[in-house]
């Protein structure tokens, strides 16, 4: 088989796959549209979950900390993907790849330590933080003597 015939066959196979995938998606969407129910009713569009009528609004105000945690998760999840790819090709990458992966991990750990130091990972609000004072040595001596008497 010549090179041009192989390339043409490869593109033809991809075109058949793409047309089949789009056709299947269209078929499923049209099937749901035509076979779906068309009932009309007063309570048809009211949210109903687990046998309990909803009360109040579903719009909740969330703290920005939730979004920060989501971003941290994505960042460190991508880190895990890079490290997995490195671990799979460790024989090919050799010591240079090990050094690069070590620098990569060190940079991410530095970022994590920085986030912890500035308080980005602290979930408790500032108003609910309690400063616990450490008791002095005199307190321990006085409590021990009071129990002995």
């Amino acid at each position: 088989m010549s090179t041009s015939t192989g390339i043409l066959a490869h593109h033809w196979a991809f075109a058949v796959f793409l047309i089949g995938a789009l056709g299947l998606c269209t078929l499923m969407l049209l099937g749901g549209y035509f076979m779906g129910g068309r009932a009309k009713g007063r309570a048809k569009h009211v949210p109903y979950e687990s046998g309990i009528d909803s009360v109040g609004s579903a719009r909740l105000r969330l703290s920005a900390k939730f979004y920060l945690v989501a971003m941290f998760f994505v960042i460190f999840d991508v880190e895990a993907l890079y490290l997995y790819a490195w671990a799979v090709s460790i024989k090919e990458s050799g010591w240079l790849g090990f050094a690069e992966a070590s620098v990569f991990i060190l940079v991410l750990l530095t970022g994590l330590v920085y986030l912890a130091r500035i308080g980005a990972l602290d979930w408790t609000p500032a108003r609910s933080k309690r400063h616990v004072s450490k008791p002095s040595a005199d307190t321990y001596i006085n409590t021990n003597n009071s129990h002995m008497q």
Side-chain angles (χ1 to χ4, degrees):
M1 185 182 330
S2 69
T3 307
S4 62
T5 308
I7 292 173
L8 186 61
H10 178 70
H11 289 303
W12 179 251
F14 180 71
V16 169
F17 170 75
L18 191 62
I19 291 170
L22 290 174
L24 185 62
C25 289
T26 305
L27 180 72
M28 287 190 291
L29 289 172
L30 289 175
Y33 177 75
F34 287 119
M35 291 190 290
R38 304 233 185 332
K40 302 282 186 204
R42 189 173 66 189
K44 176 79 174 169
H45 299 292
V46 176
Y48 183 78
E49 186 170 337
S50 301
I52 300 172
D53 291 328
S54 61
V55 178
S57 174
R59 304 204 186 278
L60 299 173
R61 297 188 72 191
L62 297 176
S63 171
K65 297 254 184 199
F66 289 106
Y67 301 108
L68 282 173
V69 169
M71 287 190 306
F72 295 152
F73 172 76
V74 168
I75 289 169
F76 289 107
D77 193 38
V78 169
E79 169 203 2
L81 287 175
Y82 283 135
L83 289 176
Y84 179 75
W86 169 76
V88 168
S89 66
I90 193 166
K91 288 183 179 178
E92 291 85 12
S93 60
W95 286 104
L96 180 63
F98 178 75
E100 290 174 351
S102 299
V103 168
F104 179 68
I105 292 171
L106 187 66
V107 167
L108 286 169
L109 283 176
T110 305
L112 185 62
V113 168
Y114 172 74
L115 289 173
R117 291 197 60 153
I118 66 170
L121 303 175
D122 190 14
W123 278 82
T124 57
R127 66 179 180 272
S128 68
K129 288 183 182 176
R130 297 183 184 142
H131 297 286
V132 179
S133 60
K134 294 182 179 179
S136 64
D138 294 334
T139 307
Y140 290 121
I141 294 170
N142 292 337
T143 56
N144 288 337
N145 290 338
S146 65
H147 291 296
M148 291 180 161
Q149 295 175 357

